[in-house]
Amino acid sequence: MTIAFVFPGQGAQTIGMGKALAEAYPAAKAIFDEVDSALGESLSQLIWEGDIETLTLTQNAQPALMATSMAAMRALEAEGVSIGNASFVAGHSLGEYSALAAAGAISVADTARLLRTRGLAMQSAVPVGEGAMAAILGLDLDAVRAVAEEAAQGEVCQAANDNDPTQVVVSGAKAAVERAAEIAKEKGAKRAVMLPVSAPFHCALMQPAADAMAEALGGVDIQSPAVPLIANVRADAVTSPDEIRQLLVEQVTGSVRWRESVQAMAAKGVTEFWEIGAGKALSGMIRKIDRSLTCRQVGTPEDAAAAAGA
């Protein structure tokens, strides 16, 4: 059995996530304390007792999901499972930062501050209402790329997330994405769903955010991860700190190649994927990518204990 640890992205957030971990494991509680200290505010109070609208704000959701994933990692470690039990780490969009923190490449405090900066920069890159994203269901990547190209009409419209064989997300100018949704349905898509997001992530409109992240990452110490990272924009293994820094910048405007990333890990012998943190969206995608792969969620104390006993 060869295992990969994978880390969720935005959309997995829920009020109360990670609270049971913090109550059961002092090391998990210490993660939330460290993130609160790094940000100079009680993000943990928002996560556990706040309202979902405020938690879902990009600048809050990103560090909150990372904190929950790292709390789950500390729970696993308390149960005797370490990063060394995984052959690879990977994360979906912001989850890539969680993966790097879990693999010891970036400190938890630095990761929290980077994600706060990333969230604010992504939110401010495009005025609210000018960008959009849509999930195209039932067309493959090449078909969606053709749809996006046809829909662009001089505006930005790109395939942003290649999630699984049944779902590709497009991102860009609102009117262009709306056109893409209609064209996709004409081309045989089962559905085209406008997503409730506050900005058009992973497209060229995010260039101001990429510039902000280049500056922020330039001031952060990055170490070689304890196990290789399968990077979103490359869908292949990377261990060089300089490469990681560059790929994190490219990721802001580049596509999340999740389907290819999972296939790459499977080709390298991975048979089991542990989704570390909130939700189970990645497990659903992985099963659609390759039904032979096994998935396990690690988001509660019970999950951590069960994983350790597996």
Side-chain angles (χ1 to χ4, degrees):
M1 181 177 67
T2 302
I3 299 169
F5 290 171
V6 295
F7 298 83
Q10 229 163 300
Q13 66 275 1
T14 57
I15 295 298
M17 63 182 183
K19 188 174 185 182
L21 290 168
E23 290 171 347
Y25 300 95
K29 173 67 163 59
I31 288 289
F32 288 102
D33 292 343
E34 186 174 357
V35 170
D36 287 351
S37 177
L39 298 179
E41 64 183 69
S42 184
L43 184 66
S44 59
Q45 186 175 3
L46 170 62
I47 298 169
W48 298 335
E49 301 168 11
D51 63 274
I52 191 63
E53 290 80 11
T54 306
L55 179 61
T56 298
L57 291 173
T58 303
Q59 66 263 31
N60 294 328
Q62 295 199 22
L65 285 161
M66 182 278 296
T68 303
S69 287
M70 286 305 301
M73 276 299 306
R74 294 293 181 263
L76 280 175
E77 288 163 6
E79 296 287 354
V81 178
S82 73
I83 191 69
N85 288 86
S87 295
F88 300 96
V89 292
H92 194 283
S93 191
L94 85 87
E96 191 154 273
Y97 285 79
S98 305
L100 287 164
I106 310 176
S107 73
V108 170
D110 279 343
T111 305
R113 288 187 287 263
L114 284 169
L115 286 173
R116 171 55 56 84
T117 298
R118 185 176 183 268
L120 289 168
M122 292 172 90
Q123 186 59 65
S124 63
V126 180
V128 174
E130 290 190 11
M133 299 180 78
I136 309 300
L137 307 179
L139 294 181
D140 67 16
L141 178 60
D142 287 342
V144 174
R145 281 176 172 160
V147 165
E149 189 175 340
E150 183 179 340
Q153 297 179 21
E155 295 182 295
V156 171
C157 188
Q158 295 172 229
N161 299 350
D162 178 17
N163 286 333
D164 64 48
T166 70
Q167 183 193 118
V168 181
V169 175
V170 294
S171 180
K174 186 170 186 285
V177 171
E178 289 172 343
R179 286 193 294 270
E182 292 306 312
I183 292 168
K185 285 185 275 191
E186 293 167 8
K187 302 278 188 186
K190 292 178 181 175
R191 291 175 67 204
V193 183
M194 300 298 291
L195 299 179
V197 294
S198 53
F201 305 129
H202 299 291
C203 76
L205 295 177
M206 287 286 112
Q207 189 57 50
D211 295 341
M213 290 313 297
E215 183 176 349
L217 285 157
V220 168
D221 179 48
I222 299 179
Q223 301 289 320
S224 295
V227 298
L229 170 77
I230 303 295
N232 282 183
V233 296
R234 188 177 288 177
D236 201 0
V238 58
T239 57
S240 158
D242 288 342
E243 281 187 280
I244 288 169
R245 198 185 311 272
Q246 181 57 37
L247 292 173
L248 288 174
V249 175
E250 292 179 16
Q251 187 223 59
V252 179
T253 56
S255 297
V256 176
R257 296 168 61 184
W258 187 251
R259 177 183 58 84
E260 292 174 273
S261 294
V262 171
Q263 289 172 335
M265 286 182 273
K268 294 175 189 294
V270 173
T271 55
E272 186 164 320
F273 289 79
W274 292 17
E275 185 168 2
I276 313 291
K280 52 186 178 181
L282 297 185
S283 297
M285 294 177 196
I286 290 164
R287 290 190 182 101
K288 289 176 182 174
I289 293 164
D290 187 339
R291 300 295 297 185
S292 73
L293 300 172
T294 303
C295 299
R296 172 187 292 277
Q297 286 83 45
V298 183
T300 67
E302 293 77 16
D303 292 341

